[in-house]
Amino acid sequence: MTLAKAKARRAVRSVTRTVGRWTANSRMTPDFLIVGAQRCGTTSLFKTLSQHPGVLPAVYHKGVHYFDTGYDRGMDWYLGHFPTNRRAEAVRAQLGVRGVTGESSPYYMFHPLAGERIAADLPAVRLLVLLRDPVERAYSAHAHESARGFESETFERALELEQSRIAGERERLLADPTAHSHHYQHNAYLTRGQYVEQLERLESIFGRDRLHVIDADDFFADPRPAFDGVCDFLGLPHWADISFGKHNARSRSAMDPELRARLEAHFTPYDERLAAWWGRVPSWRR
């Protein structure tokens, strides 16, 4: 991130903190959160959902990152990112259903405290999760973090370092709610692709009926059925005038076939557990 962008972001956060303090009581609380997984199409889903006239998305940021790295800012600051209740009722006059709002912060699914925080502050919220081939997700995440300046090692070296980098970090975050962990957030390439562990934890907090899991490859290959399923989950009418696309993709070289085979073997037991939990075989294992 450039210095100018960092300054602009800090200025926006300052404005939202002030606005939130003044107007929190008049603002919507999120009806949905896209909680992950990182590099699985969360930006694309958020941009697609934002086209629906019944969705009033968060302003200023796609991902507010309140429940993971910004929880000290307070609920008034968080609510300052969302539209007013008046706008939600205006949607009802147009569509017959109240407007919904939400945001997309893909670290929520992985952060060890985010789930409990969300459940405490948003007791009725619904969670959307996108999943893709965890091998491709890991490779994409490495390219993404490298481009952002959060990774300096090659992909293979970063995989070798992962366990030593994140050792004890989950426990440290749990022990100190004010703590942040660079490696846990940015460099857990394999661990973040062990999806079933995270989904089981979310289910234990929210119940299965408040989780909606989307196969990202199916979504991009044939987006309409997947999008209609999201609308059903959020209580929104199906909407025809939606433009589907892929956003925030990064180009990268082909992965070494031997490395890919090793990573596929690593993820096999997790994917088998995922299929049993999900009740379907994920696209990358069909």
Side-chain angles (χ1 to χ4, degrees):
M1 183 186 301
T2 66
L3 180 60
K5 285 184 177 180
K7 287 182 177 179
R9 179 168 290 185
R10 285 195 295 270
V12 167
R13 285 175 175 166
S14 176
V15 169
T16 55
R17 185 191 295 270
T18 301
V19 170
R21 187 180 301 117
W22 290 343
T23 65
N25 290 337
S26 68
R27 291 186 176 271
M28 301 171 68
T29 56
D31 303 277
F32 70 88
L33 298 174
I34 303 174
V35 297
Q38 182 207 36
R39 305 306 296 166
C40 289
T42 57
T43 298
S44 297
L45 179 60
F46 184 80
K47 288 182 177 292
T48 303
L49 263 176
S50 297
Q51 298 175 51
H52 194 295
V55 176
L56 304 171
V59 296
Y60 305 117
H61 315 287
K62 169 187 76 78
V64 185
H65 286 284
Y66 173 63
F67 295 103
D68 46 28
T69 59
Y71 202 59
D72 60 314
R73 299 178 184 275
M75 194 65 175
D76 284 354
W77 174 86
Y78 183 56
L79 293 178
H81 293 80
F82 297 99
T84 63
N85 288 309
R86 180 180 296 180
R87 288 190 61 195
E89 290 303 323
V91 170
R92 190 194 304 276
Q94 177 189 0
L95 298 182
V97 296
R98 190 177 190 272
V100 300
T101 191
E103 51 123 340
S104 173
S105 296
Y107 190 30
Y108 288 167
M109 180 169 163
F110 190 59
H111 191 284
L113 290 175
E116 286 82 359
R117 290 168 172 173
I118 293 167
D121 292 346
L122 304 175
V125 76
R126 294 178 176 270
L127 305 184
L128 295 165
V129 175
L130 291 102
L131 305 178
R132 70 186 286 201
D133 180 349
V135 176
E136 287 297 322
R137 194 221 71 82
Y139 199 31
S140 175
H142 178 268
H144 182 65
E145 302 296 357
S146 298
R148 298 169 71 200
F150 296 143
E151 178 60 82
S152 58
E153 302 288 350
T154 66
F155 183 50
E156 289 194 62
R157 180 57 178 156
L159 296 181
E160 292 171 357
L161 291 171
E162 179 171 335
Q163 288 308 308
S164 63
R165 281 173 157 181
I166 68 172
E169 290 298 272
R170 183 176 189 275
E171 292 74 18
R172 185 171 69 85
L173 291 169
L174 286 168
D176 180 3
T178 67
H180 297 269
S181 173
H182 174 93
H183 288 315
Y184 200 78
Q185 181 174 0
H186 298 291
N187 308 129
Y189 304 109
L190 298 184
T191 312
R192 288 182 79 157
Q194 295 163 191
Y195 303 129
V196 68
E197 298 174 333
Q198 299 158 67
L199 290 168
E200 287 173 345
R201 185 173 71 250
L202 291 176
E203 181 183 20
S204 72
I205 298 169
F206 297 94
R208 189 65 172 269
D209 62 333
R210 287 168 61 197
L211 290 174
H212 185 73
V213 183
I214 305 155
D215 190 305
D217 291 330
D218 289 345
F219 174 63
F220 288 118
D222 187 14
R224 174 55 65 178
F227 183 72
D228 287 347
V230 171
C231 291
D232 292 339
F233 179 66
L234 298 180
L236 294 170
H238 293 187
W239 201 257
D241 189 17
I242 299 291
S243 176
F244 299 102
K246 182 177 286 191
H247 302 272
N248 208 24
R250 292 186 184 274
S251 61
R252 56 190 187 276
S253 59
M255 191 186 305
D256 175 70
E258 183 178 340
L259 175 59
R260 179 183 293 277
R262 294 204 307 269
L263 296 183
E264 288 176 348
H266 169 85
F267 285 116
T268 294
Y270 299 102
D271 288 345
E272 290 175 349
R273 284 174 55 195
L274 172 65
W277 181 91
W278 201 357
R280 57 177 288 181
V281 178
S283 60
W284 58 92
R285 291 288 180 175
R286 291 174 198 157

